[in-house]
Amino acid sequence: MSTLDLHGKISASQIAFYTPIAAFTIALVWRYAFRRDAGWLFLFIFSAARVSEAALILAGELVQRPHADLLIGAYVLQAAALAPLLLSTIGFLGMAGQSTYSEISRVSLIFRLTGLVTLAGLALSIAGGILGTHVSPDKGNIGVILRRASVGVFVAVYVILFLAHLGCWTYHFQMRSYRLRLLGGATFALPFLGVRVAYAVLAAWSASDLFGKSLSSNPDLARFNPINGQWVTYLAMSVVMEFIVVALYALFSTVLSRRYSR
């Protein structure tokens, strides 16, 4: 029977972490009937994506002759799932600003447009991950361009969110304490999310293919490849950063959910 390597063990830890998060967030979404609680919805989607990615990696390692589609699906999710994490940030910023800045049409428009841009980045990431595989083997160069373009979109979205959250704090005198806590949670989470986005940039330039076989000639860049690079770097800058961001969102949004239940 096949044994798990380090990536497989990391995947097992992701399943253990994200499964209860997914159950918790979908329960909140169901309880409040999708009532402007998009942060929880996208946090559920992100958690479900990470569980799916990890399950595919485990299947690829435990099956004696795994189908290539298992790993393709896992590696596409590894990059593309950053989009729902960014969307959850938009959702929680919007939740924190209910009855204050979120009611301003200009702010609401910024959040909506940023969400649409994030979805565009998601589409680019998925398309870029598929092109160059057996699905379309002669379009590998286009796949690389699309994957790197998607990362550029995610960077732009992160910068917009960081600047927007600074603007959100200018309304803190008008905000209730429990909404300030949620905004504070986003403030604590954004630096860790920034590290994750930075890793996505480095990973996109670490190799010219989805499977990490054609690593960059620059060894400093090659070590950031999530598949064949240094696993410690991947664990610290990607997996752990996501754990922290999700834990902070879940923790601080629970305070808000308790306020709703009163």
Side-chain angles (χ1 to χ4, degrees):
M1 181 178 179
S2 301
T3 58
L4 298 177
D5 61 12
L6 288 170
H7 279 84
K9 293 176 181 178
I10 291 173
S11 297
S13 70
Q14 287 179 304
I15 292 177
F17 179 83
Y18 286 115
T19 299
I21 295 291
F24 168 72
T25 50
I26 195 60
L28 289 173
V29 171
W30 180 265
R31 180 177 182 180
Y32 299 113
F34 298 88
R35 189 179 66 246
R36 300 191 66 179
D37 301 326
W40 288 321
L41 174 61
F42 288 117
L43 199 59
F44 163 73
I45 294 173
F46 172 77
S47 300
R50 282 291 174 253
V51 170
S52 299
E53 172 205 344
L56 289 171
I57 290 177
L58 289 178
E61 291 194 6
L62 296 176
V63 176
Q64 290 186 350
R65 294 183 179 179
H67 197 282
D69 288 343
L70 290 175
L71 297 180
I72 291 173
Y75 299 154
V76 169
L77 282 172
Q78 199 281 327
L82 185 56
L85 189 58
L86 291 168
L87 288 169
S88 70
T89 304
I90 298 173
F92 287 127
L93 288 176
M95 288 171 63
Q98 288 180 20
S99 302
T100 52
Y101 60 79
S102 291
E103 307 304 322
I104 301 174
S105 59
R106 181 179 68 256
V107 175
S108 179
L109 180 62
I110 290 173
F111 284 156
R112 290 177 181 177
L113 291 177
T114 305
L116 290 175
V117 172
T118 306
L119 291 175
L122 173 63
L124 289 173
S125 182
I126 294 174
I130 294 174
L131 295 179
T133 64
H134 68 85
V135 178
S136 185
D138 58 335
K139 296 182 179 179
N141 291 334
I142 298 176
V144 173
I145 293 172
L146 293 181
R147 288 197 300 274
R148 292 175 178 175
S150 71
V151 170
V153 171
F154 294 154
V155 170
V157 168
Y158 175 80
V159 171
I160 292 171
L161 291 179
F162 187 85
L163 295 176
H165 114 278
L166 294 178
C168 295
W169 275 107
T170 62
Y171 294 86
H172 71 280
F173 289 114
Q174 307 171 31
M175 298 172 66
R176 295 184 180 273
S177 60
Y178 60 92
R179 296 196 184 279
L180 271 175
R181 294 189 191 101
L182 181 55
L183 182 57
T187 299
F188 282 125
L190 278 170
F192 299 104
L193 182 58
V195 174
R196 176 61 184 90
V197 172
Y199 180 81
V201 174
L202 295 168
W205 267 265
S206 66
S208 59
D209 69 305
L210 181 67
F211 295 96
K213 295 180 180 179
S214 301
L215 292 173
S216 170
S217 58
N218 185 336
D220 291 330
L221 271 179
R223 71 189 183 93
F224 290 101
N225 187 265
I227 303 167
N228 291 319
Q230 292 183 0
W231 70 269
V232 175
T233 304
Y234 165 67
L235 177 65
M237 295 185 66
S238 179
V239 177
V240 173
M241 292 300 105
E242 290 180 349
F243 281 179
I244 294 173
V245 172
V246 170
L248 286 171
Y249 286 163
L251 174 64
F252 283 92
S253 65
T254 301
V255 175
L256 186 58
S257 69
R258 288 178 179 175
R259 178 68 183 185
Y260 277 154
S261 63
R262 293 178 183 176

